[in-house]
């Protein structure tokens, strides 16, 4: 059987915790910071854990990173 491919977009944006949860940066912080308010930029710093429904989709994209 051929190997499954990891989605390149997913591997750039998501990572996994040791317990298997999916870590992601908040939405809206990739580009266009000049038009965003300072308060918005401050609020979306750091990372967050995705909910189970979203994590299920990401795990499908990254079959070998569990």
């Amino acid at each position: 059987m051929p190997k499954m491919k990891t989605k390149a977009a997913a591997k750039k944006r998501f990572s996994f915790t040791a317990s298997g949860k999916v870590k992601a940066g908040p939405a809206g912080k990739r580009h266009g910071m000049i038009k965003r308010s300072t308060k918005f930029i401050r609020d979306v710093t750091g990372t967050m854990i995705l909910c189970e429904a979203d994590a299920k989709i990401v795990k499908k994209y990254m079959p070998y990173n569990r």
Side-chain angles (χ1 to χ4, degrees):
M1 280 300 289
K3 292 180 180 177
M4 292 172 68
K5 284 198 169 185
T6 297
K7 291 274 185 195
K11 74 181 172 192
K12 292 170 190 171
R13 288 167 174 80
F14 305 106
S15 61
F16 287 85
T17 63
S19 60
K21 293 180 178 169
V22 183
K23 271 195 316 189
K29 194 127 191 266
R30 290 270 158 197
H31 56 81
M33 290 302 103
I34 214 132
K35 65 179 90 163
R36 313 244 194 268
S37 70
T38 312
K39 181 182 184 299
F40 174 86
I41 294 169
R42 223 177 21 250
D43 287 345
V44 295
T45 56
T47 58
M48 58 185 213
I49 303 292
L50 289 186
C51 71
E52 205 49 52
D54 292 336
K56 194 174 174 184
I57 296 165
V58 173
K59 285 178 181 177
K60 202 176 285 184
Y61 291 156
M62 302 172 73
Y64 299 109
N65 289 28
R66 303 223 180 150

